Amino acid sequence: MKSKKITYFRYFSLFFIIAVLLFIAGCTGVTVSSTVTTTYNGNGSTAGTVPVDPASPYEYGATVTVLGNTGDLIRINGGGTSYYFIGWNTKADGSASDQAEGSTFTIGVSNVILYAQWTPYVLRDIGPAGGYIFYDKGYYSKADFTIVKAEGNGTVPITPTYDSWRYLEAAPSNQSTGAAWGCVNTSIWGADGIAVGTGKQNTIDIEAGCTTSGTAADICANLSLGGYSDWFLPSIDELYFIYMNLKGYGVGGFASGSYWSSSETEGGGYKAWGQGFGSGIKYNDYKGHTKRVRAVRAF
């Protein structure tokens, strides 16, 4: 009787071991799942939208092609630092696997989150419109405005809209190799700003006071490039920073000739400021003369 019990125990033990082995073998051949997803995370982005993978969810072992920054994500933190997108990583802090646009990976059994990776803009980086950054103010500032009281009780302010910028970028190539400043013998009211930050208003004033098409300012004001149409002709001080921070480093493909600024001289019916990109000298010249043109924008 005792030997039969031992035999039964042995058979039971053998059956149990076989069952466990079959279970393990079944687990190693991972079953196909349709719930494994790939999603994208802006990781601190302040504008734009994250991409949505149209092929997700994936089956185990499928190949995933990494998307680009298709939703134009941007990031500006509370301290006023602007960042540009450099790719994705499987961890928010960038400590895991980098995934560049167009790269591929094989998906496993777990969902994958790809986090946007950011780095601060510095001089000579490529800006949002594909131009070269030539000026960093160091902080974001907002245009001056007058608070308008709400109609009725006169106590609740209406939130105004205004521009806020920190960086200036120059277009990646010339807009003209020979354009006149234009409107000789016509003094353009308001187009006498020379400092950094005045080029945009100069250009607006030139367009308002000089209806001649094809002038240096007109070319810039009507430029649509890199998905942006807010380009303008730089002031003379802005143009000097282009010379110093781009031409001086061999960046941007600038010729050694002269470029027009948007800054008219005092009593400027006849003359405006130009910048020599060979000599580095800024000088006033007859507005009917032709010079090179390079548009800029602020962001």
Side-chain angles (χ1 to χ4, degrees):
M1 189 71 177
K2 184 176 180 181
S3 62
K4 286 184 177 181
K5 287 183 179 181
I6 293 173
T7 301
Y8 290 149
F9 179 76
R10 287 175 178 173
Y11 283 136
F12 177 78
S13 300
L14 179 62
F15 174 79
F16 179 78
I17 292 171
I18 292 172
V20 170
L21 291 175
L22 288 173
F23 176 76
I24 293 173
C27 289
T28 56
V30 180
T31 58
V32 173
S33 172
S34 61
T35 60
V36 183
T37 60
T38 298
T39 56
Y40 293 80
N41 185 296
N43 196 20
S45 61
T46 54
T49 57
V50 294
V52 176
D53 190 343
S56 183
Y58 291 91
E59 295 181 348
Y60 167 79
T63 299
V64 179
T65 300
V66 178
L67 303 177
N69 185 16
T70 56
D72 295 324
L73 294 172
I74 63 173
R75 177 182 171 187
I76 301 174
N77 70 11
T81 300
S82 184
Y83 298 80
Y84 67 95
F85 172 84
I86 58 172
W88 309 95
N89 195 282
T90 51
K91 284 191 176 181
D93 63 3
S95 62
S97 176
D98 285 327
Q99 300 291 345
E101 177 182 359
S103 64
T104 60
F105 65 90
T106 301
I107 201 162
V109 296
S110 301
N111 296 333
V112 174
I113 301 176
L114 295 175
Y115 296 89
Q117 299 298 295
W118 305 96
T119 191
Y121 281 111
V122 296
L123 292 178
R124 292 172 289 282
D125 273 344
I126 301 299
Y132 298 98
I133 296 175
F134 66 91
Y135 183 81
D136 178 3
K137 188 167 49 175
Y139 58 94
Y140 276 86
S141 63
K142 300 169 182 177
D144 293 333
F145 59 88
T146 301
I147 292 179
V148 180
K149 298 299 181 180
E151 186 177 355
N153 56 23
T155 58
V156 180
I158 297 173
T159 302
T161 58
Y162 45 81
D163 293 329
S164 179
W165 69 277
R166 170 173 175 168
Y167 305 92
L168 294 173
E169 65 173 321
S173 60
N174 292 334
Q175 277 57 67
S176 175
T177 57
W181 201 95
C183 289
V184 178
N185 202 29
T186 301
S187 183
I188 307 299
W189 186 87
D192 56 353
I194 63 173
V196 173
T198 61
K200 185 174 184 178
Q201 188 61 51
N202 284 347
T203 303
I204 292 171
D205 292 334
I206 294 168
E207 285 290 275
C210 178
T211 58
T212 304
S213 63
T215 65
D218 188 61
I219 291 170
C220 297
N222 289 287
L223 178 64
S224 180
L225 181 66
Y228 293 85
S229 56
D230 55 352
W231 299 91
F232 55 91
L233 185 65
S235 69
I236 188 59
D237 283 1
E238 291 166 349
L239 195 55
Y240 180 72
F241 276 104
I242 295 176
Y243 166 73
M244 289 292 293
N245 292 330
L246 296 183
K247 176 64 166 63
Y249 287 83
V251 174
F254 290 92
S256 294
S258 299
Y259 285 78
W260 274 127
S261 80
S262 59
S263 305
E264 194 176 53
T265 62
E266 293 183 8
Y270 291 97
K271 292 185 176 182
W273 288 100
Q275 174 70 54
F277 272 51
S279 64
I281 298 172
K282 56 184 178 180
Y283 57 94
N284 56 65
D285 199 2
Y286 179 65
K287 294 196 298 185
H289 289 167
T290 60
K291 300 185 189 299
R292 292 175 174 82
V293 175
R294 184 71 69 100
V296 304
R297 65 178 296 273
F299 69 97

